[in-house]
Amino acid sequence: MLESQVAETTTHVAEPTRRDFLYIATGAAAVVGGATLVWPFVQSLAPDAATVAAGAPVEVDLTPIAEGQIVKVFWRGKLIFIRHRTAEEIKAAEDVNVASLRDPQPDSARVKEGKVQWLIVYGNCTHLGCVPLGQQGEYHGWFCPCHGSIFDTSGRVRGGPAPINLPIPPYTFASDTKIVIGQEATA
């Protein structure tokens, strides 16, 4: 008789009870709740988007920039001017008597060799940080309307209170039509 009871209990499949459902539902709710509580702590370990963007180099396609045009981009929260200079602008910048400049620097020191048509400079006046207007002023470079600083087509200070030329950011040419701002050329 004992054998028949064992055979009977092993072949019989018990139906899930309401208690089984409650155990599974409670366990699932605990897992979801735990994950919901842990997720913000895991996310806080990752750097925020501003930090990631602050140090990342910026690639700029030069193809759509027409000759004579100035394009503004931002890198590390700072304004950068990319100027596609015309042959006349290049000649005017190269023909300057460097000794007569407040911050003497030849045009060749401000552009990459073989890419003299491209001038890349920070876009803030070196006097008080205003944004100068492009293709303005006596030298058709930049003119700062706030205090009257004048820069030529090479970004060199030619008049007004600005003490130094527009600085050159670190950049390299990735190809003939693409620059990477924030990265120097590796030897």
Side-chain angles (χ1 to χ4, degrees):
M1 171 122 170
L2 185 59
E3 288 178 354
S4 66
Q5 283 182 338
V6 171
E8 217 175 275
T9 56
T10 56
T11 58
H12 183 267
V13 178
E15 286 290 317
T17 65
R18 183 178 171 103
R19 179 170 294 197
D20 293 334
F21 171 76
L22 289 174
Y23 283 143
I24 292 171
T26 303
V31 168
V32 169
T36 304
L37 287 174
V38 169
W39 184 255
F41 296 111
V42 172
Q43 279 298 100
S44 71
L45 298 175
D48 69 342
T51 303
V52 172
V58 175
E59 286 188 9
V60 180
D61 183 13
L62 302 174
T63 308
I65 305 173
E67 192 173 282
Q69 185 179 6
I70 301 172
V71 173
K72 301 168 187 166
V73 297
F74 283 91
W75 172 67
R76 290 188 173 181
K78 296 183 180 180
L79 180 63
I80 306 289
F81 290 143
I82 301 171
R83 185 176 192 143
H84 189 178
R85 303 189 302 172
T86 64
E88 296 82 27
E89 291 172 340
I90 295 167
K91 181 164 176 26
E94 290 173 344
D95 289 347
V96 171
N97 177 6
V98 177
S100 69
L101 298 174
R102 181 178 301 163
D103 185 8
Q105 197 174 25
D107 184 63
S108 59
R110 301 185 54 76
V111 295
K112 301 287 184 188
E113 187 176 336
K115 311 282 189 200
V116 296
Q117 70 273 27
W118 297 107
L119 177 71
I120 291 88
V121 294
Y122 282 105
N124 295 97
C125 179
T126 55
H127 176 233
L128 290 177
C130 304
V131 177
L133 303 174
Q135 297 163 333
Q136 302 287 317
E138 183 180 346
Y139 302 97
H140 306 289
W142 287 272
F143 173 72
C144 183
C146 302
H147 303 104
S149 293
I150 302 168
F151 301 91
D152 66 10
T153 58
S154 189
R156 298 174 296 200
V157 64
R158 301 295 294 272
I164 60 173
N165 301 331
L166 294 176
I168 307 291
Y171 74 96
T172 187
F173 278 85
S175 69
D176 286 341
T177 60
K178 186 177 284 186
I179 61 168
V180 181
I181 300 173
Q183 179 179 330
E184 287 287 350
T186 54

